[in-house]
Amino acid sequence: MNYSLTMNKLTEAKNDDTREKQCFCDICGTSFNYNSQLTSHRHIHTGEKPYHCDICGKSFAYNSQLTSHRRIHTGEKPYHCDICGKSFSQRRTLTEHKRTHTGEKPYHCDICGKSFSQRGTLTEHKRTHTGERPYHCDICGKSFSKRNDLTRHKLTHTGEKPYHCDICSQSFCQMSHLTKHKRTHTGEKPYHCDICGKSFTHRSAVTVHKRTHTGEKPYQCDICDKSFSRSAHLTGHRRTHTGEKPYHCEICGKSFSCNTQLIYHKRTHTGENPYHCDICGKSFSLRSCLTQHMRTHTGEKPYHCDICGMSFSDNNYLTRHRRIHTGEKPYHCDICGKSFSQSRDFTKHKRTHTGERPYHCDICGKSFSQRSHLTIHIRTHTGEKPYHCDICGKSFSQRSHLTIHIRTHTGEKPYHCDICGMSFSDNNYLTRHRRIHTGEKPYHCDICGKSFSQSRDFTKHKRTHTGERPYHCDICGKSFSQRSHLTIHIRTHTGEKPYHCDICGKSFSQRSHLTIHIRTHTGEKPYHCDICGKSFSDINYSTRHRRIHTGEKP
């Protein structure tokens, strides 16, 4: 009897597999083998969700969805990968996971031919071709191509961060962000690049990284045709066209075109530096800054210029460097029309029009238009000189000063004047020199109208109007309008005479005094009276002599 029942059931199951589907949905026409399947399917059209979670109250259209959901509460993961042992709460998640081992991508885009391991990923990908955005925010009306993007977006309205790190208590609005964050504690990097072997904490980072090898930039701006390797970069770029800045700082009111910029900006208020170097202990507000910093220890330079072969530790440096070859200047000032190859130079330039000085010294209150200028200025208070010459041991407060100083040892003068051929060790010296040929004086005093070819001369000149004397002698308290005057003055206390005559050995506290003294040996008299023709070795002597002719009294 039991044998007969078993055979009947097997025969019935076989008939189920071969018989025509008899149950049809009268709304969309989809067919099903069983009436129960049709009943469940109709919930899609009616919106009915008859299955309720007795723990959190959430409702579902299918009983299978409720079963999967309950595992979030119980932590049950009954499906195990027989390759790596990882466990999953849903069978389809295990199936998708196995494809990371096999490399299988059974779902293909019939427009561009790209393949995917998950059907849902293919569906989302197709929307990059169609532009479809079926998910709408009922608060601000913004549309999204992915349901997850809408869910995440809504949290920007509510401010909810339901996922908490049990190690440091930091909260996140997305579970994936928490998962990635935990790897900063564990050091886990489970995703590997099969080209160079580099490891990453999350899958998307590997996908983006591989594009540095392939050069792929699948996201294109429909306004200017510029291409990007990341979707987020395209979104941010589009806002340069629209001017949209939807993210606002509630502390200072400043607005930003992308949320990450706002997060980074807030750390300028809080002083938070959550990323730490485990080699030297230095802390950073941005993960990217830590990554770049680590390369100062490792010497790694993974980004290479395909034109000249030069290597860089940061992809942004490579992008900027390439513009030297292409001459591209994508950043344009709509006030004066000037163009720039780098965004940061453009930002600094705009402040010359607005007068904005957002960086303030906590010690003396002085303000600066650039953060780097504030950093350098603070060293005038602290006396810090972190850059050291390996040849003579001299120290400098700025890296650029060390670079220029080293050229005094090597004799290198890489900057050449295209008019007279003169060479210089510093690009700034070349810029100033060119003004001798052009007569350009770009710095104008709005008090007396006088113009200057050099910024430093203009700065010194302004102090003749303001009376400012920012340089103080720590020994006698005397103040000076120029740093060089203070340096010379301090030598009256110390007796230092660093400039020596190679002919007679006499020493001087000022270079100009040595120059004048050498003329007593050479007989050189470069200053001439245009009235009587008499010559002098010192310009001061020439000035005094002229007064004999003019009758001027000093």
Side-chain angles (χ1 to χ4, degrees):
M1 183 67 180
N2 289 338
Y3 174 79
S4 300
L5 282 172
T6 302
M7 290 303 296
N8 286 338
K9 285 182 180 179
L10 287 171
T11 303
E12 189 179 303
K14 187 175 181 182
N15 291 337
D16 283 345
D17 289 338
T18 57
R19 72 180 178 183
E20 284 189 39
K21 295 181 178 180
Q22 300 297 321
C23 307
F24 299 94
C25 175
D26 52 7
I27 299 172
C28 67
T30 304
S31 57
F32 300 91
N33 286 331
Y34 300 104
N35 194 49
S36 59
Q37 293 174 334
L38 174 60
T39 301
S40 296
H41 167 77
R42 280 184 176 142
H43 295 155
I44 296 171
H45 300 297
T46 63
E48 184 185 2
K49 294 184 177 182
Y51 303 101
H52 308 288
C53 175
D54 49 11
I55 299 172
C56 68
K58 197 169 183 180
S59 298
F60 300 88
Y62 299 102
N63 188 41
S64 60
Q65 291 174 337
L66 173 59
T67 302
S68 297
H69 166 79
R70 278 187 177 138
R71 291 175 185 144
I72 296 172
H73 299 296
T74 62
E76 182 190 8
K77 293 184 177 182
Y79 304 104
H80 309 288
C81 175
D82 49 12
I83 299 171
C84 68
K86 201 168 183 180
S87 298
F88 300 89
S89 59
Q90 297 181 39
R91 186 190 300 277
R92 66 179 175 83
T93 311
L94 172 60
T95 302
E96 291 166 358
H97 165 78
K98 280 183 174 176
R99 290 174 185 147
T100 63
H101 297 298
T102 64
E104 181 191 10
K105 293 183 177 182
Y107 305 104
H108 310 288
C109 175
D110 49 13
I111 298 171
C112 68
K114 200 169 182 180
S115 299
F116 300 89
S117 60
Q118 300 179 35
R119 186 191 299 277
T121 311
L122 171 61
T123 302
E124 290 169 355
H125 165 78
K126 281 183 175 175
R127 290 175 187 145
T128 64
H129 297 298
T130 64
E132 182 191 8
R133 293 178 173 232
Y135 305 105
H136 309 286
C137 175
D138 50 12
I139 299 172
C140 68
K142 198 168 183 181
S143 298
F144 299 87
S145 60
K146 302 177 184 179
R147 187 191 298 276
N148 287 339
D149 290 345
L150 172 59
T151 302
R152 290 195 288 263
H153 167 77
K154 282 183 174 176
L155 297 174
T156 64
H157 294 298
T158 63
E160 182 188 4
K161 293 186 177 181
Y163 306 103
H164 309 287
C165 175
D166 49 12
I167 299 172
C168 69
S169 300
Q170 196 169 338
S171 298
F172 300 87
C173 58
Q174 300 177 41
M175 170 73 78
S176 60
H177 290 179
L178 173 60
T179 302
K180 293 170 188 173
H181 166 78
K182 280 183 175 174
R183 290 174 185 148
T184 64
H185 296 298
T186 63
E188 182 192 10
K189 293 185 176 182
Y191 304 103
H192 310 287
C193 174
D194 50 13
I195 299 171
C196 68
K198 196 170 182 180
S199 298
F200 298 87
T201 55
H202 45 283
R203 186 194 304 278
S204 60
V206 141
T207 302
V208 172
H209 165 79
K210 280 183 177 176
R211 291 174 184 148
T212 63
H213 297 298
T214 64
E216 182 191 10
K217 293 184 176 182
Y219 306 102
Q220 190 170 25
C221 176
D222 51 10
I223 299 172
C224 68
D225 293 332
K226 195 169 183 181
S227 298
F228 299 87
S229 59
R230 302 187 189 190
S231 174
H233 290 178
L234 172 59
T235 302
H237 166 79
R238 278 188 178 136
R239 290 174 182 145
T240 63
H241 296 298
T242 64
E244 181 191 9
K245 292 186 176 182
Y247 304 101
H248 311 287
C249 175
E250 67 269 4
I251 299 172
C252 67
K254 198 169 183 181
S255 298
F256 299 88
S257 57
C258 65
N259 190 41
T260 52
Q261 290 175 343
L262 174 59
I263 292 169
Y264 300 154
H265 166 77
K266 280 181 175 175
R267 290 174 184 154
T268 64
H269 295 298
T270 63
E272 181 190 9
N273 287 332
Y275 305 104
H276 309 287
C277 174
D278 50 12
I279 298 173
C280 69
K282 198 170 183 181
S283 297
F284 300 87
S285 60
L286 309 178
R287 184 192 299 278
S288 60
C289 291
L290 173 60
T291 302
Q292 291 168 20
H293 166 78
M294 293 291 284
R295 290 174 184 148
T296 64
H297 295 298
T298 63
E300 181 191 11
K301 291 185 176 182
Y303 305 102
H304 310 288
C305 176
D306 49 11
I307 298 171
C308 69
M310 200 168 178
S311 298
F312 299 88
S313 60
D314 183 357
N315 191 38
N316 289 327
Y317 298 159
L318 173 59
T319 301
R320 294 173 198 153
H321 166 80
R322 278 187 177 139
R323 291 175 185 146
I324 296 171
H325 299 297
T326 63
E328 182 192 10
K329 293 185 176 183
Y331 306 101
H332 310 287
C333 177
D334 51 11
I335 298 172
C336 68
K338 199 169 182 181
S339 297
F340 298 86
S341 60
Q342 297 186 34
S343 172
R344 65 181 180 185
D345 292 338
F346 179 40
T347 301
K348 292 171 188 174
H349 167 78
K350 285 192 286 188
R351 290 175 184 146
T352 64
H353 295 299
T354 63
E356 181 191 9
R357 290 175 172 248
Y359 306 105
H360 310 286
C361 175
D362 294 336
I363 299 170
C364 67
K366 198 169 182 181
S367 298
F368 298 87
S369 59
Q370 300 178 36
R371 186 192 299 277
S372 60
H373 290 179
L374 172 60
T375 302
I376 292 165
H377 165 79
I378 287 173
R379 290 175 185 149
T380 64
H381 295 297
T382 63
E384 181 191 10
K385 293 184 177 181
Y387 305 104
H388 311 288
C389 176
D390 294 336
I391 300 170
C392 68
K394 197 170 182 179
S395 297
F396 299 87
S397 60
Q398 300 181 43
R399 186 190 299 275
S400 60
H401 290 179
L402 172 60
T403 301
I404 294 164
H405 165 78
I406 287 173
R407 290 174 184 149
T408 63
H409 296 297
T410 64
E412 181 190 11
K413 292 184 176 182
Y415 305 102
H416 310 287
C417 177
D418 50 11
I419 299 171
C420 69
M422 199 168 177
S423 298
F424 299 88
S425 60
D426 183 356
N427 190 39
N428 290 327
Y429 297 160
L430 173 59
T431 301
R432 293 171 198 154
H433 166 80
R434 278 188 178 137
R435 290 174 185 148
I436 296 171
H437 298 296
T438 64
E440 181 191 10
K441 293 184 177 183
Y443 306 102
H444 309 287
C445 177
D446 51 11
I447 298 172
C448 68
K450 198 169 182 180
S451 297
F452 298 86
S453 60
Q454 297 186 35
S455 172
R456 65 182 178 184
D457 292 338
F458 179 41
T459 302
K460 293 171 188 174
H461 168 78
K462 284 192 287 187
R463 290 174 185 148
T464 63
H465 294 298
T466 63
E468 182 190 9
R469 290 173 173 253
Y471 305 104
H472 309 285
C473 175
D474 294 337
I475 300 170
C476 68
K478 196 170 182 180
S479 298
F480 299 88
S481 60
Q482 298 180 37
R483 186 192 299 276
S484 59
H485 292 178
L486 172 60
T487 301
I488 293 166
H489 166 78
I490 287 173
R491 290 175 185 149
T492 64
H493 295 296
T494 63
E496 182 190 9
K497 293 183 177 182
Y499 305 103
H500 310 288
C501 176
D502 293 337
I503 299 170
C504 68
K506 197 171 181 179
S507 297
F508 299 87
S509 60
Q510 300 181 42
R511 186 190 299 275
S512 60
H513 290 179
L514 172 61
T515 301
I516 294 166
H517 166 78
I518 287 173
R519 290 174 186 147
T520 64
H521 296 295
T522 63
E524 182 190 10
K525 293 184 177 183
Y527 305 103
H528 310 287
C529 176
D530 50 11
I531 299 172
C532 69
K534 196 169 182 180
S535 297
F536 301 89
S537 61
D538 185 349
I539 194 171
N540 291 324
Y541 297 158
S542 176
T543 302
R544 290 176 202 148
H545 168 78
R546 280 199 181 108
R547 290 177 188 141
I548 297 171
H549 298 296
T550 62
E552 180 187 359
K553 293 184 179 181

